[in-house]
Structure formats: structure tokens, C-alpha cells
Amino acid sequence: MTTANRLLMEGLTDAAGFLGGALAGYWLGLLLGLDIFHEGYGTASLLGIVLVGLGGGGGLQAARRWRAARKPQDAE
């Protein structure tokens, strides 16, 4: 795999993992009644924002672990 293709794959999987995790955090927040778009910055809105951030970070880490698991091992 060329360097450009490897970097493209890395960027796309990172973006997909982050977006998927952030959406999962958003939907979980909605299920718990924590709407990030509620007027003002109340406790519920801030907790919803935290869930979106944690979900995005978790999704990014999951994508990186998935990519590392698929990486071919060098034969020595």
C-alpha cells in the first residue's frame, strides 16, 4: 500500500470512528433526556455535550484499534 493510500485509509477510518462514536453519544444522551441543543447551558445540556465528546473519543480509539488489528505483521 502506498503512503498516500495508507494516509487516506487512516484519515477515513479515524473520521468514521469519531463520527459514529459522537452520534452514539448524542443518541444515548437523547435517550437519557440530555439534549445538547436545549436553550442555555444547563446541567442536562452540559452532560449531553460530555457524552458526545466521550463517544467521539471512544469511537476514534475503537477505529484505531481496529486498524491496528488489521495491520499485517512483518515476517522476520
Side-chain angles (χ1 to χ4, degrees), residues 2-76:
T2 66
T3 302
N5 286 342
R6 184 179 53 79
L7 291 175
L8 179 63
M9 179 62 85
E10 183 177 330
L12 289 175
T13 56
D14 280 356
F18 180 82
L19 183 61
L23 285 173
Y26 173 69
W27 291 327
L28 179 62
L30 284 181
L31 286 173
L32 297 174
L34 307 173
D35 186 9
I36 65 172
F37 298 113
H38 190 267
E39 187 174 328
Y41 285 110
T43 304
S45 293
L46 291 176
L47 289 175
I49 292 169
V50 167
L51 275 178
V52 170
L54 289 174
L60 176 62
Q61 291 303 311
R64 288 182 177 176
R65 286 177 191 244
W66 175 80
R67 196 172 55 243
R70 293 178 42 99
K71 184 177 182 179
Q73 300 298 320
D74 293 332
E76 292 183 27

